[in-house]
């Protein structure tokens, strides 16, 4: 019986998974080099810690107490990103150029080979719980410059830049929209007694009774206007008769403001205050 089958048998014996789950994982494993335990954890059929406890039984080795075994002299041997990538925690230097490490999967030969190539040392794996390894990496392995230039970090940085750029685009869009809106429609001020429309050197005010006042300077008039009207229709007639006094932008804005007054879009608050 192969070790992979033995692991599956142990998991079934402990009632952690069913025969069906193991069969599904084995089918996924066919044609690849991923280990059964890794696949089961990825499938969320078992936890990483349950895998460690089962591996301890399968391999006949104890689970390492990382906090007791860790030597501070190895804390810069492996960068944090590699520790997380391979699920390892360096523990101590031993004789004959050996580095002892705790691994969530001490039978992961590909990870061991990569670690030996990186460190130039012989890796002696021991078994550690994934949760302990993950916690101790954050506590004991310092961040270095290398951690910020990994593919994972680049993905994170790219996403951050993309989110920031999107936020700037949205902010610019809002600013541009507000700028255009203000340029076209000016400002609108609400008081207890009036709503005031202000744009293009003109102020149009409407009170609670619907009376309208026009103050300001027509682009082609010789003086300033200060006239009042009983309603918007009278004012519209006045503007039409004096159309040559106003620029095209002023006429367009006056027509827009009168529509706002007629529809009550910005003047409902006056009615509520009555």
């Amino acid at each position: 019986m192969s070790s992979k089958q033995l692991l599956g048998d142990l998991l079934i014996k402990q009632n952690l998974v069913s025969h069906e789950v193991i069969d599904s994982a084995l089918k996924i494993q066919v044609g690849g080099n991923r280990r059964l335990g890794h696949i089961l954890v990825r499938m969320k059929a078992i936890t990483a810690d349950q895998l460690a406890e089962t591996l301890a039984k399968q391999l006949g080795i104890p689970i390492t107490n990382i906090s007791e075994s860790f030597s501070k002299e190895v804390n810069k041997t492996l960068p944090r990103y590699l520790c997380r990538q391979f699920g390892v925690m360096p523990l101590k230097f031993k004789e004959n150029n050996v580095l002892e490490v705790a691994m969530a999967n001490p039978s992961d030969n590909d990870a061991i080979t990569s670690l030996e190539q990186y460190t130039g040392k012989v890796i002696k794996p021991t078994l550690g719980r994934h949760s302990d390894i993950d916690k101790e990496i954050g506590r004991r392995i310092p961040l270095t410059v290398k951690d910020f230039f990994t593919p994972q970090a680049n993905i994170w940085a790219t996403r951050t830049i993309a989110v920031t750029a999107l936020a700037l685009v949205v902010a610019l869009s809002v600013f541009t929209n507000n700028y255009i809106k203000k340029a076209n429609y000016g400002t609108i001020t609400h008081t207890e007694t009036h709503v005031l429309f202000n744009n293009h050197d003109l102020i149009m005010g409407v009170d609670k009774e619907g009376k309208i006042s026009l103050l300001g300077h027509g682009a082609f008039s010789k003086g300033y206007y200060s006239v009042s009207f009983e309603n918007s229709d009278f004012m519209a007639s006045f503007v039409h008769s004096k159309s040559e006094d106003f620029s095209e932008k002023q006429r367009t804005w006056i027509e827009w403001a009168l529509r706002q007054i007629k529809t009550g879009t910005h003047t409902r608050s006056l009615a509520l205050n009555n």
Side-chain angles (χ1 to χ4, degrees):
M1 183 177 292
S2 69
S3 61
K4 293 177 182 177
Q5 291 174 317
L6 178 60
L7 175 63
D9 289 341
L10 285 172
L11 292 169
I12 293 171
K13 187 176 181 180
Q14 296 175 93
N15 294 318
L16 294 175
V17 296
S18 65
H19 286 282
E20 291 76 16
V21 170
I22 294 296
D23 289 341
S24 296
L26 289 172
K27 289 176 182 177
I28 294 172
Q29 187 186 37
V30 171
N33 57 4
R34 292 175 296 174
R35 294 189 174 273
L36 179 63
H38 171 81
I39 294 172
L40 290 169
V41 172
R42 288 290 186 181
M43 290 172 63
K44 298 184 178 180
I46 59 173
T47 67
D49 286 352
Q50 287 173 330
L51 173 62
E53 291 164 3
T54 305
L55 285 173
K57 294 179 181 179
Q58 180 194 26
L59 301 174
I61 59 176
I63 296 177
T64 301
N65 187 320
I66 295 176
S67 60
E68 292 181 359
S69 303
F70 178 77
S71 174
K72 190 175 181 180
E73 63 180 348
V74 303
N75 70 338
K76 296 182 180 179
T77 306
L78 293 171
R80 187 180 291 191
Y81 80 90
L82 271 185
C83 292
R84 295 202 186 281
Q85 179 180 336
F86 293 118
V88 303
M89 177 70 192
L91 296 177
K92 64 183 72 171
F93 293 124
K94 301 178 75 72
E95 293 181 354
N96 300 317
N97 197 38
V98 173
L99 173 64
E100 185 175 307
V101 302
M103 299 183 67
N105 184 1
S107 57
D108 187 343
N109 293 324
D110 290 337
I112 292 171
T113 299
S114 296
L115 294 173
E116 287 182 338
Q117 290 175 346
Y118 183 88
T119 61
K121 297 184 177 296
V122 178
I123 298 298
K124 178 184 178 182
T126 64
L127 180 62
R129 287 188 176 88
H130 183 275
S131 57
D132 292 341
I133 292 172
D134 192 57
K135 178 179 67 176
E136 296 297 336
I137 289 172
R139 288 180 56 191
R140 303 182 186 275
I141 305 300
L143 277 171
T144 65
V145 174
K146 293 179 181 179
D147 292 301
F148 296 98
F149 292 94
T150 66
Q152 294 85 352
N154 289 336
I155 291 172
W156 178 85
T158 300
R159 289 176 179 173
T160 301
I161 291 170
V163 171
T164 302
L166 179 60
L168 289 173
V169 169
V170 171
L172 180 61
S173 176
V174 171
F175 173 80
T176 303
N177 182 65
N178 289 339
Y179 176 83
I180 294 173
K181 186 175 180 180
K182 186 173 181 180
N184 290 335
Y185 305 116
T187 60
I188 302 172
T189 305
H190 294 256
T191 70
E192 291 185 1
T193 58
H194 286 78
V195 175
L196 303 175
F197 299 83
N198 188 340
N199 201 20
H200 301 307
D201 295 327
L202 296 171
I203 299 175
M204 187 186 304
V206 57
D207 64 15
K208 294 181 179 181
E209 284 74 34
K211 294 182 179 179
I212 303 174
S213 299
L214 179 65
L215 306 173
H217 175 68
F220 305 113
S221 64
K222 295 181 179 180
Y224 286 82
Y225 289 110
S226 179
V227 290
S228 298
F229 308 92
E230 288 296 320
N231 55 52
S232 59
D233 291 333
F234 285 125
M235 180 174 171
S237 298
F238 173 80
V239 172
H240 180 71
S241 66
K242 300 289 186 179
S243 61
E244 293 182 356
D245 288 352
F246 302 101
S247 68
E248 183 178 350
K249 287 184 177 180
Q250 286 180 322
R251 289 195 300 270
T252 300
W253 175 76
I254 290 172
E255 291 172 359
W256 171 83
L258 288 174
R259 285 198 299 273
Q260 307 310 301
I261 294 171
K262 283 186 176 182
T263 59
T265 304
H266 296 281
T267 57
R268 293 191 183 95
S269 59
L270 293 177
L272 293 175
N273 291 330
N274 280 334

